[in-house]
Amino acid sequence: MSGLKRRLSLPEAIGLSLSIVAPILTAAFNISLVVGKAGAAAPTTFALGTVLVGLVAIAFIAFARRGSHAGSAYAYIAEVFGRRAGFLAGWTMLLTYLSFATAMSALVGDFLASALASLGVKAAPLWIVLALLSLALSTLLAWRDVKLAGRLMLLLMLASLLATIALGVVILARAPALPAAALRPSPQAGGWSGVAYALVFVVLSFAGFEGAATLGEETTHPKRDVPLAMLGALAVAGVFFTFISYCEVRGYGLPGIGDLAKSTAPLNDLAQRYTNRAFAAVLDVVAAFSSFAGALGSLTASGRLFFALGRAGLAPPLARIHPKHGSPGPAVLLSGVLSAVAFLIWAPVSGAASYYANVSTVAVIALILVYLGVIAAQCRIDLAARRWLAPAFTILGAVILVWCLINTVYPPPAWPDNLWPYAVVAWVAAGVVLLLARPALARKAVLETPRVEPMVKAGVVPEA
């Protein structure tokens, strides 16, 4: 028995996925990037991107409906392509969640320091202290009570969403309406080719929607609630992205589209333009809440992955369960320590915004590789079962992911951004070394608990 307690409901699972997606961070950063490529057609691009990411989600949902496992993609890929491939998938996804945890903790410190600065409290290294305190608190919550953590993540996400939506409503009431033609791809922004390139940033905005899958062994009704949680996170994020991107475009106006594309803090700019400086400070605080929820969700997910890999032979102590809280305590603590070490080595030198951008890029490149592996595994199962329609949709999702991956490496970005793909390759290579050093990782059964329904191996028709 794994020892993990099944006591999580659908809201907690949604809270985890939605917190890792961190919609407010897209409103604060990614929308400007999308506008830079698609122009005023950014809302249309986000609406299209929501549908396309839904194609990627098909594979995760199909696996989650058949079985549940704390290792998420680790178990999915292992049962189709073997335990070596499964371990490498879990190891690679681990890099994603650890990177998100440390990157979002940096933003907590940055947003809180910005809010304090607006009140006259200024201290250059304050954001570093706040970030580390945030990381320590999120580690404690993830270690102590996953049910409480899940509810807290959901509440923080809802609070930050409502505050940002309130700003959007104010903009809609005060800014002139946009003509419908402005939302169509325009030659000035590259037409449909501009929209296609902007989809790279849209797809990346949804990264982490699959986080609820790591709660498969702790959710009361996993084969129902985990797929619903992923769908719910996608739906909420997609609607929010489309709405708030429209509000930002409308707030800047068509003559100001270039300013929006260049802005590093569009929400703050709009809050000061349409409300006041105090509400801008409030938005900084709710953005910090959202970032904290993202760090908490990422640590929760990385702890479950460490637990699953430890149970499979990586390190037996990582498979231990806290006797009182029923959480994978050692695995969560290790996740927190690694995130803190990475932060201390890199963040004080680069600054919060650069640290978040760079580490998140590493996270997303790793995650795309795992997404492609899960899609390939599901396609193999569907083709073995002679189901032809589903693979057509999931393959389209894979094409989009490959397009995103290519655009992160070509044309080669400037230094140091050109280093991040190599960082992912180095991490995967370390996983290969672990496999060679510990052959038991490729022999030990992936699924050890009778509560986890075995995945259907390739070539065998899945159960209905």
Side-chain angles (χ1 to χ4, degrees), residues 14 50 78 97 113 132 136 166 174 217 232 258 262 273 294 304 307 396 398 408 429 433:
I14 292 177
T50 302
Y97 292 143
L132 288 173
R174 298 184 178 181
E217 295 178 45
K262 297 174 184 176
R273 182 184 303 183
R304 271 64 192 170
F307 166 78
L396 177 57
T408 62
V433 172

Side-chain angles (χ1 to χ4, degrees), residues 226 455 464:
V226 170
M455 303 297 168

Side-chain angles (χ1 to χ4, degrees), residues 26-411:
T26 288
F29 296 108
N30 289 1
I31 288 176
S32 294
L33 298 176
V34 174
V35 169
K37 301 300 180 183
T44 304
T45 309
F46 272 105
L48 179 60
T50 302
V51 176
L52 297 179
V53 175
L55 300 178
V56 178
I58 290 173
F60 276 92
I61 290 171
F63 275 111
R65 289 181 62 188
R66 287 197 298 273
S68 51
H69 192 280
S72 179
Y74 160 55
Y76 302 163
I77 293 176
E79 289 302 306
V80 176
F81 295 121
R83 297 184 182 99
R84 289 184 179 85
F87 174 82
L88 288 177
W91 178 257
T92 305
M93 183 168 264
L94 186 60
L95 175 62
T96 292
Y97 292 143
L98 289 174
S99 298
F100 278 150
T102 186
M104 292 185 188
S105 295
L107 288 186
V108 174
D110 189 48
F111 282 126
L112 288 180
S114 177
L116 289 173
S118 66
L119 300 176
V121 180
K122 296 182 180 180
L126 183 61
W127 74 271
I128 298 175
V129 176
L130 293 171
L132 288 173
L133 289 175
S134 163
L135 188 54
L137 181 58
S138 56
T139 302
L140 176 63
L141 288 170
W143 167 80
R144 182 176 176 83
D145 190 340
V146 69
K147 190 174 183 68
L148 172 62
R151 291 180 177 180
L152 181 60
M153 284 184 275
L154 186 59
L155 288 174
L156 291 176
M157 274 295 117
L158 290 177
S160 57
L161 286 172
L162 289 174
T164 311
I165 289 171
L167 173 62
V169 171
V170 171
I171 292 172
L172 295 182
R174 298 184 178 181
L178 294 172
L183 301 178
R184 301 173 192 150
S186 66
Q188 292 81 3
W192 280 106
S193 62
V195 169
Y197 195 88
L199 281 173
V200 173
F201 304 108
V202 173
V203 171
L204 302 187
S205 298
F206 287 92
F209 76 88
E210 77 300 326
T214 62
L215 299 179
E217 295 178 45
E218 298 166 88
T219 307
T220 307
H221 304 289
K223 288 189 281 186
R224 180 196 69 188
D225 289 350
V226 170
L228 284 176
M230 290 190 278
L231 280 175
L234 277 175
V236 170
V239 171
F240 175 77
F241 291 157
T242 303
F243 169 77
I244 203 65
S245 61
Y246 174 80
C247 293
E248 290 190 19
V249 169
R250 182 164 167 174
Y252 275 85
L254 294 181
I257 284 296
D259 295 331
L260 175 55
K262 297 174 184 176
S263 176
T264 57
L267 288 181
N268 193 282
D269 294 343
L270 290 168
Q272 295 194 43
R273 182 184 303 183
Y274 289 95
T275 58
N276 50 53
R277 192 176 293 274
F279 190 76
V282 169
L283 282 181
D284 283 331
V285 173
V286 298
F289 286 166
S290 177
S291 302
F292 177 79
L296 176 56
S298 300
L299 284 172
T300 301
S302 61
R304 271 64 192 170
L305 268 173
F306 259 136
F307 166 78
L309 295 177
R311 185 173 59 184
L314 177 62
L318 293 176
R320 293 174 185 168
I321 302 297
H322 192 281
K324 180 180 179 181
H325 306 307
S327 63
V332 171
L333 291 176
L334 178 60
S335 297
V337 169
L338 291 176
S339 299
V341 169
F343 177 89
L344 288 170
I345 292 174
W346 190 353
V349 178
S350 65
S354 294
Y355 182 71
Y356 169 77
N358 295 336
V359 176
S360 294
T361 301
V362 172
V364 169
I365 292 173
L367 191 60
I368 289 176
L369 295 177
V370 177
Y371 282 175
L372 290 172
V374 173
I375 288 174
Q378 183 58 36
C379 282
R380 188 170 179 181
I381 288 175
D382 284 331
L383 293 175
R386 299 184 182 277
R387 291 195 296 260
W388 313 114
L389 184 59
F393 287 111
T394 51
I395 288 172
L396 177 57
V399 170
I400 296 164
L401 289 176
V402 171
W403 167 256
C404 294
L405 189 62
I406 291 173
N407 278 279
T408 62
V409 297
Y410 185 84

